[in-house]
Amino acid sequence: MDTMKALLERKSVRSYTGTPVTIEQRNQLLKAAYASPVSMGQYDTVELTVVQNPELLAQIDDTAAKRFGREKMLYGAPMLIIASTQLKGDATDNAAYSNTATIIENLNLAAVDLDLGACHIWGAIVAVAGDDGLKRSLKISEGFTPVAGLVVGQTADGYTDRDIPEGRIKTEILD
Ligand SMILES: Cc1cc2nc3c(=O)[nH]c(=O)nc-3n(C[C@H](O)[C@H](O)[C@H](O)COP(=O)(O)O)c2cc1C
């Protein structure tokens, strides 16, 4: 699949067959993450956590359900990849958030390329960030905050051409 095809066919997939992501697929996903640009090349300011342990996934789901009053915020996906970063609480956090979002989008496009379903996850990540015990269970390093995530899994919800509305993002072109 070429890049434009993956970009145009990508969609948020929220139904999974339950079949695990293979080790080869996981390696490919991580390769895409490691290929991501990171502000000033400071790769040690971001951290990835690949959660495939069903008990931990259920714990994250429960924590998110308690926080938002909604069940199954991970949609039963067999894998959640969490991107964590160091936040300072000032305007420079812009780069930290952008780094994680960029990595997650690389992962998402790689998932499309591998014919895996995937969806950016914000809600459940907020819930994890607010639970120090869960952060410890997930081995998220001290001083790092989970800020972005992606659920991934095999899906029957295949990718096809999508109609992308032109101009749906307000755009000023200043010639
Ligand atoms: C930063 C970010 C956070 C998101 N968080 C969630 C989420 O927590 N749960 C969810 O179901 N979808 C989430 N999404 C998916 C968006 O709802 C989705 O991308 C948008 O509605 C456009 O649909 P599409 O991805 O199918 O094109 C998120 C997307 C982004 C970029």
Side-chain angles (χ1 to χ4, degrees):
M1 190 179 278
D2 66 34
T3 309
M4 271 321 269
K5 190 167 159 58
L7 278 164
L8 296 177
E9 291 192 0
R10 185 214 58 80
K11 63 181 175 182
S12 294
V13 170
R14 299 185 177 91
S15 69
Y16 299 94
T17 62
T19 313
V21 174
T22 67
I23 290 171
E24 292 74 24
Q25 288 170 326
R26 186 176 68 196
N27 288 342
Q28 282 296 102
L29 290 169
L30 289 175
K31 200 169 181 179
Y34 304 150
S36 178
V38 160
S39 168
M40 297 172 76
Q42 292 172 334
Y43 287 87
D44 57 348
T45 63
V46 284
E47 191 174 281
L48 293 175
T49 310
V50 182
V51 190
Q52 293 179 280
N53 179 305
E55 280 168 29
L56 285 172
L57 289 169
Q59 238 177 292
I60 294 167
D61 235 349
D62 287 349
T63 307
K66 279 192 201 110
R67 170 77 166 71
F68 292 100
R70 270 184 53 202
E71 309 257 304
K72 294 242 166 237
M73 291 184 72
L74 302 179
Y75 305 108
M79 174 187 275
L80 169 67
I81 304 175
I82 300 172
S84 303
T85 188
Q86 293 164 309
L87 296 174
K88 297 190 183 117
D90 62 31
T92 63
D93 284 343
N94 190 355
Y97 286 119
S98 297
N99 288 336
T100 55
T102 305
I103 292 168
I104 293 294
E105 187 60 6
N106 261 29
L107 283 161
N108 196 349
L109 291 171
V112 176
D113 186 66
L114 294 164
D115 234 359
L116 291 165
C119 182
H120 279 246
I121 292 295
W122 173 83
I125 299 300
V126 170
V128 172
D131 187 325
D132 285 339
L134 187 49
K135 276 169 63 182
R136 275 193 295 277
S137 302
L138 292 168
K139 300 185 179 171
I140 291 170
S141 298
E142 200 63 37
F144 280 72
T145 305
V147 292
L150 190 80
V151 284
V152 187
Q154 317 286 354
T155 185
D157 185 1
Y159 295 105
T160 52
D161 235 11
R162 290 211 308 165
D163 187 25
I164 309 292
E166 272 192 36
R168 70 174 170 181
I169 297 177
K170 184 176 181 294
T171 309
E172 292 286 352
I173 298 174
L174 306 172
D175 284 327

